[in-house]
Amino acid sequence: AELDIPFRRIRRWSYRISDARPEEIPVATPHLLLRSGDRLTFEPGSLQLPFRTKYGLLSLKVEDLLELKLEDTGNVGQGARLLNGSTLGGILEIDALSVKLKMGQEFEIPRDMLRGIRAAAEERQDDLLTRVTLTNGDKLFGRLVETQLKAGSRYGQADIGPKLVREMSFVKAHPGRVVLRMWDGSIVRGAIERDYLGFRIVPGPSLRVPILQVVRIIRRSALPPEELTRKVEQLIGRLGSESYEDRQSAAEELKAFGAGIVPVLRGHLDSGDPEVRRRLEEIIESLKGGADEIQMNMDNADAGGGCIFLP
């Protein structure tokens, strides 16, 4: 039977939760987590979150955010995780958050009521982005803004194009000193003559990173010098030649350049010519051993002084 029972006549009701219910129900849309346990989905709109970090005050966009967690006090950020995998420690500098809920209502939620913000279901990492590891545990993924670096050593000053650098490791015992591992495996040691590095999280805000807080910078997309890159691209164009001999000759010349040109080759894997794509894949596969050797030399290099060049 169906009963019509007034609320005022009900003393208690209860229900049973299925054993198959997951502990955490994923929510694909941005939502607020409150200390009461409530979860409120909201419209991100143009909402930006002022987040105080070691790199200054950043304006975090909800569309770039994975999640932001707050400590029990409600005013200190345990950390922000961005969609691309970057992590930032800091403080959410708001007294209240004004949001419009999916249900249509507009609310102003005091910061002390917030436990966190979840903006997406999972990360969207890009392996080709530059990775920066910092002394406070933060990790940043994006691109260096700098177009030129000066590295001073006992042998003089070297102008280094960041695009040529595969890894920068800072020597903890000597603040400012750095080991630069270049696109071809060669190593340059010296001191970076600046206090900050410009860096942009992709997607995300731009910031100035203090040199003394950097542990390591890894660039998986390090490129050869421009003249060599142009030569490689000309040879890639010949991979689609009508002449079989010309295609073979271009492939052999590309292999002779070694594993350092692999990032350039990968940039042309979307070619509209199936023959070019096939040959590029074969060349990249054949150069993998050389790439592994460069990485092994980088991993085994000591942190002493001077300047050496690996074969």
Side-chain angles (χ1 to χ4, degrees), residues 12 16 28 46 70 73 75 92-93 98 109 111 114 147 167 172 177 186 192 197 204 222 231 241 263 298 308:
R12 178 196 295 178
R16 183 176 66 85
S46 59
L70 301 178
T73 56
N75 61 1
L92 184 61
E93 288 197 345
S98 298
I109 301 175
R111 180 180 58 190
L114 281 174
T147 58
E167 182 178 343
K172 186 177 181 180
R177 286 191 59 82
S186 60
I192 298 295
L197 285 176
K231 175 64 174 175
S241 171
M298 290 168 59
I308 64 173

Side-chain angles (χ1 to χ4, degrees), residues 77-96:
Q78 281 186 330
R81 291 174 59 200
L82 304 189
L83 270 179
N84 71 355
S86 298
T87 57
L88 292 165
I91 298 174
L92 184 61
E93 288 197 345
I94 58 169
D95 294 324

Side-chain angles (χ1 to χ4, degrees), residues 128 166 183-185 219-225 228-229 232-233 236 253-270 279-294:
L128 295 181
R166 188 169 183 177
W183 68 277
D184 58 353
R219 298 189 67 257
R220 300 194 184 279
S221 58
L223 297 172
L228 180 54
T229 298
V232 169
E233 289 176 341
I236 291 173
E253 289 186 56
L254 286 171
K255 292 177 183 178
F257 282 123
I261 67 167
V262 168
V264 182
L265 301 181
R266 284 176 176 156
H268 291 267
L269 284 174
D270 59 353
R279 287 184 173 268
L280 283 175
E281 290 170 356
E282 290 178 353
I283 296 169
I284 291 172
E285 183 65 26
S286 70
L287 293 175
K288 274 187 177 181
D292 293 340
E293 183 178 348
I294 289 177

Side-chain angles (χ1 to χ4, degrees), residues 106-304:
E106 294 186 6
F107 279 95
E108 187 168 279
I109 301 175
R111 180 180 58 190
D112 290 343
M113 291 182 63
L114 281 174
R115 182 166 59 89
I117 300 173
R118 183 80 183 194
E122 58 185 11
E123 294 180 356
R124 302 170 192 166
Q125 292 191 351
D126 183 349
D127 291 338
L128 295 181
L129 290 177
T130 296
R131 173 174 178 169
V132 181
T133 305
L134 296 120
T135 55
N136 64 349
D138 285 353
K139 294 178 182 178
L140 311 177
F141 293 87
R143 296 191 179 95
L144 283 172
V145 177
E146 311 297 339
T147 58
Q148 201 73 15
L149 296 174
K150 294 184 183 296
S153 71
R154 69 186 68 176
Y155 307 114
Q157 180 175 277
D159 292 329
I160 307 293
K163 290 183 179 180
L164 306 178
V165 179
R166 188 169 183 177
E167 182 178 343
M168 300 171 62
S169 298
F170 288 80
V171 183
K172 186 177 181 180
H174 302 282
R177 286 191 59 82
V178 65
V179 179
L180 302 174
R181 293 164 169 91
M182 309 305 287
W183 68 277
D184 58 353
S186 60
I187 297 178
V188 178
R189 296 182 173 89
I192 298 295
E193 298 181 353
R194 61 172 59 220
D195 296 326
Y196 295 88
L197 285 176
F199 190 82
R200 181 174 181 270
I201 298 174
V202 180
S206 297
L207 42 88
R208 297 174 72 223
V209 181
I211 286 287
L212 295 181
Q213 292 182 12
V214 180
V215 176
R216 177 174 292 181
I217 299 175
I218 298 176
R219 298 189 67 257
R220 300 194 184 279
S221 58
L223 297 172
E226 291 185 9
E227 290 184 8
L228 180 54
T229 298
R230 285 195 293 269
K231 175 64 174 175
V232 169
E233 289 176 341
Q234 290 172 2
L235 290 170
I236 291 173
R238 286 171 49 193
L239 294 177
S241 171
E242 293 183 1
S243 166
Y244 173 79
E245 290 77 10
D246 199 19
R247 296 197 300 271
Q248 283 294 97
S249 173
E252 293 304 318
E253 289 186 56
L254 286 171
K255 292 177 183 178
F257 282 123
I261 67 167
V262 168
V264 182
L265 301 181
R266 284 176 176 156
H268 291 267
L269 284 174
D270 59 353
S271 170
D273 188 330
E275 176 68 11
V276 172
R277 292 198 306 271
R278 182 185 68 80
R279 287 184 173 268
L280 283 175
E281 290 170 356
E282 290 178 353
I283 296 169
I284 291 172
E285 183 65 26
S286 70
L287 293 175
K288 274 187 177 181
D292 293 340
E293 183 178 348
I294 289 177
Q295 186 62 51
M296 180 181 66
N297 287 332
M298 290 168 59
D299 293 339
N300 294 334
D302 61 77

Side-chain angles (χ1 to χ4, degrees), residues 39-53:
R39 178 186 299 180
L40 305 176
T41 58
F42 67 97
E43 300 283 356
S46 59
L47 179 64
Q48 298 189 7
L49 305 168
F51 197 64
R52 176 71 62 181
T53 70

Side-chain angles (χ1 to χ4, degrees), residues 24-31 39 62-67 81-83 117-124:
E24 182 67 24
I25 301 175
V27 178
T29 56
H31 56 277
R39 178 186 299 180
V62 175
E63 57 262 35
D64 299 334
L65 189 68
L66 177 68
E67 65 176 346
R81 291 174 59 200
L82 304 189
L83 270 179
I117 300 173
R118 183 80 183 194
E122 58 185 11
E123 294 180 356
R124 302 170 192 166

